[in-house]
Amino acid sequence: MFCPMICREIVKNGTGSSKNHAIVLPERVSPASLSLILDYCRFHQVPGRSNKERKSFDEKFVRIDTEKLCKLASAALGLQLRPLVDLTCGALARIIGGKTPDEVRDIFHLPDDLTEEEKLEPLKNINDDPTIRLLNRLYAKKRKELQERQKLKDVQTQEEQKDERSLDELLCFINGDGGSRGGKAAKNKRKNKRRKDQAKNPAKTNSEPVNKGDVEDPFDDAELDDGLDPAMREEIDREVADFAMKLNLVWPERMRLDQDQRMESHVGARW
């Protein structure tokens, strides 16, 4: 009857008289928390206890593990037991008093889901508190330093971009080939240049060799201006023609003699 929620269920709703009419407690009230709450109620419902005795009991009562204390405070709130809510919440306030947010997270095993920028958000200063004003200035300074570090990190990331070329392309680059991409680009560039030259001089198109790639034939049939005297050139051409005629006459005879010698050597070898 000391607990308001249970008292209301018994008096107004008529529950708790039997197992068929049990009192349904909130989900936050665990069996362990309910056992502690019953101990608290049994002590404080006894008449004639002094305030000193009750204060001493309360101080010892909240000297428990932090996790159990949090569950006890939640259960007391669910049962609307106001004196126990104030007692447990006061004990939790003393535990986190003067602690940093990181220390509070460690005490209650809370995950740190805030980014550095969110932690440095300015606080609301409704009453123009000088302490909060100085703290916001400190946060602003730290935010600026964080932004500068992020910019420096982005620059370093851009400078240290990963080379995505394959091993073959890197070897070609080291050997001076420029890689397959560079070779294709150079080849396309030469083709485009040759097309432009053909468009400018269409008369030379028929005289160019066909299907010879990018290499020009050094022994083209076009006449070369060698700068010789016409009479000397005619004499040289005549000597070349005489040499060719003699070569044509001598060559069949030379071939026949070489064949006879091979036959004789072959027959001698057999004997």
Side-chain angles (χ1 to χ4, degrees), residues 10 26 44 58 79 82 103 106 123-124 148 155 242 253 267 269:
I10 294 175
H44 281 276
D58 291 345
L79 295 177
R82 192 68 190 178
E103 292 174 345
D106 294 337
L123 303 176
K124 294 182 179 180
E148 291 177 355
V155 172
D242 293 342
E253 184 67 20
V267 172

Side-chain angles (χ1 to χ4, degrees), residues 114-139:
L114 297 178
T115 62
E116 293 187 16
E117 293 183 356
E118 291 175 344
K119 293 177 183 178
L120 298 176
E121 287 292 330
L123 303 176
K124 294 182 179 180
N125 193 3
I126 300 175
N127 299 325
D128 196 18
D129 189 346
T131 305
I132 297 179
R133 187 166 60 250
L134 292 175
L135 186 61
N136 287 335
R137 290 180 182 177
L138 178 62
Y139 283 174

Side-chain angles (χ1 to χ4, degrees), residues 163-180:
D163 197 343
E164 298 180 353
R165 289 179 293 181
S166 63
L167 180 60
D168 295 336
E169 291 175 345
L170 291 174
L171 290 175
C172 292
F173 177 77
I174 294 173
N175 295 330
D177 297 337
S180 58

Side-chain angles (χ1 to χ4, degrees), residues 14 18 38 55 63 66 94 100 113 115 122 129 142 147 149 173 202 228 237 252 254 258 267 271:
S18 63
L38 292 177
K55 184 177 180 181
R63 291 177 185 174
T66 306
R94 288 191 297 270
T100 63
D113 56 351
T115 62
D129 189 346
K142 290 185 176 181
Q147 292 174 358
R149 288 199 303 268
F173 177 77
L228 296 177
D237 293 341
R254 180 69 178 273
D258 291 341
V267 172
W271 287 101

